[in-house]
Amino acid sequence: MLEKALKGSPRYWGTLIALGLVMALGLGFWLYQLTFGMKITGLNRDVSWGFYIAQFTYLVGVAASAVMLVLPYYFHHYKEFSKMIILGEFLAIAAVVMCLGFIVVDIGQPQRMLNVLLNATPHSVLFWDMVVLNGYLFLNIIVGWTSLQYFKNDMTPPKWVKILAIVSVIWAFSIHTVTAFLYAGLPGRHYFLTAIMAARFLASAFCSGPAILLLLVLCLRRLTGFDPGQKAINRLAVIITYAMCVNIFFFLLEVFTSFYSNMPGHIAPFKYLFTGIDGHDMMVPFMWTAVVLGLGCLLFLIPTPIRQNPTALTIGLIMLVIASWIDKGLGLLIGGFTPNPFETVTVYSPTVPEIMISLMVFALGGIVLTVLWKIAIEVRSEVEGGNLSMVPPPAAE
């Protein structure tokens, strides 16, 4: 099926060329970073994780988005998701590729990755993060590609595909849980030191990831005519809405716990993010924007008549994605490292090289996603008339 990626419309090749140019430009900045070291970034003694790890954290949630399709489809035989499930699994592959890319650029020298394998330390959360990320990547590659191949041949996938798909659901929970443990296990960082960090990660993942997937599917429908089915769109939108409500609820739990108990260490990060400390208020407009968009998106998503309007749904999803990215892809990490354990503020902001290298990683993920979705859509177009499903229905028990 790979040959289908080698032919396409001018728009398809234009997209790949544009992403390739962005990637080439970012590659130049990455070579600059490899030459002069991490001093070209905004990282410092007090803020040792920056924009790279923040994007890694957010994209782990995007990778987990496939579970919101796989779980209803394979566990409850909800066949309405059959047209989107392959797209969700391929989006997970692209997201994990970007996650790994951000880890590579963050560790400085790429060869340091081998230390995780050559000097494996099972008591380290980082070791298990490597295991779950790579395991989830291979699970989605095997399940997604095999399902698409059997669909192309008009055959039902073997039982082991369903077993691996079920395993991938459990694995999806693990990738975000282990990533959350990386944060929650840091003493002296009060914004991270909470028992519900993993729960917050999962809630945000299950709203932002499917929201990005649904936005891309709606865009795909406009560009290619691919129709996932209105019932599937409506159902996924409901799942996103509930997950966003839970995400906001968990955040409010953190606010209540910090301020009602009057714990200075837990209050300080919230003050820095939402009001500023000692004149350092760079994050204030971002966080209040996230609050307005996060609450505002629910006005578009909770009322059923509004949510089922395509334009209103698109607006609500865009607001949700921006709000969740500011909260998790920017505020979470910066707030966690500010103030530092000495109760002083060390300002961090990403530099131009950091942003350009990040765009390189995003472009890589965009190329992977474009190629995989192109293959999936081409296979679908070859299926005999009437059967618009992207994968065959799951085998009966």
Side-chain angles (χ1 to χ4, degrees), residues 12 35 55 85 137 142 158 174 192 205 208-209 333 344 346 349 378 393:
Y12 167 70
T35 303
Q55 304 320 298
I85 191 168
L137 174 63
I142 294 171
S174 74
F192 300 152
S208 59
L333 190 137
T344 60
T346 302
S349 60
E378 285 292 322

Side-chain angles (χ1 to χ4, degrees), residues 368-387:
V368 172
L369 183 65
T370 301
V371 171
L372 290 177
W373 278 25
K374 169 66 163 51
I375 294 173
I377 295 301
E378 285 292 322
V379 169
R380 172 182 174 270
S381 68
E382 292 181 358
V383 176
E384 57 185 0
N387 184 8

Side-chain angles (χ1 to χ4, degrees), residues 111-240:
Q111 64 270 21
R112 291 175 182 165
M113 291 187 299
L114 297 175
N115 289 332
V116 181
L117 298 174
L118 298 178
N119 303 289
T121 50
H123 63 274
S124 169
V125 180
L126 282 171
F127 171 80
W128 290 109
D129 204 36
M130 179 273 296
V131 171
V132 295
L133 277 174
N134 284 281
Y136 190 64
L137 174 63
F138 288 115
L139 279 172
N140 279 280
I141 291 175
I142 294 171
V143 173
W145 194 261
T146 304
S147 297
L148 189 62
Q149 184 69 59
Y150 274 82
F151 171 71
K152 180 177 181 291
N153 297 328
D154 197 21
M155 298 170 60
T156 300
K159 230 174 207 182
W160 61 264
V161 173
K162 182 179 179 180
I163 294 173
L164 289 183
I166 293 173
V167 171
S168 73
V169 172
I170 302 171
W171 218 281
F173 282 86
S174 74
I175 62 173
H176 232 30
T177 301
V178 173
T179 304
F181 287 168
L182 286 174
Y183 286 84
L186 294 178
R189 304 295 183 177
H190 301 283
Y191 196 54
F192 300 152
L193 205 59
T194 168
I196 66 167
M197 179 60 73
R200 283 187 60 194
F201 270 36
L202 289 169
S204 64
F206 294 154
C207 65
S208 59
I212 292 174
L213 173 62
L214 189 51
L215 281 172
L216 292 173
V217 168
L218 292 174
C219 182
L220 191 66
R221 182 172 67 173
R222 178 178 291 272
L223 295 175
T224 68
F226 166 73
D227 185 13
Q230 192 58 44
K231 193 172 180 180
I233 292 175
N234 293 342
R235 181 60 60 188
L236 187 57
V238 170
I239 293 173
I240 293 168

Side-chain angles (χ1 to χ4, degrees), residues 14-78:
T15 301
L16 290 182
I17 291 173
L19 291 171
L21 291 175
V22 173
M23 191 173 172
L25 181 61
L27 180 62
F29 282 92
W30 186 38
L31 294 175
Y32 176 59
Q33 176 179 292
L34 291 175
T35 303
F36 293 96
M38 300 298 285
K39 67 181 182 181
I40 71 167
T41 69
L43 299 174
N44 50 65
R45 182 200 65 177
D46 295 328
V47 184
S48 54
W49 289 350
F51 197 70
Y52 298 148
I53 297 300
Q55 304 320 298
F56 157 77
T57 305
Y58 187 76
L59 288 167
V60 169
V62 177
S65 65
V67 74
M68 292 291 97
L69 301 175
V70 174
L71 194 154
Y73 184 78
Y74 284 102
F75 279 68
H76 305 289
H77 303 288
Y78 188 73

Side-chain angles (χ1 to χ4, degrees), residues 248-261:
I248 293 176
F249 174 66
F250 283 162
F251 184 80
L252 293 177
L253 290 180
E254 296 281 19
V255 174
F256 172 81
T257 302
S258 298
F259 283 89
Y260 189 78
S261 60

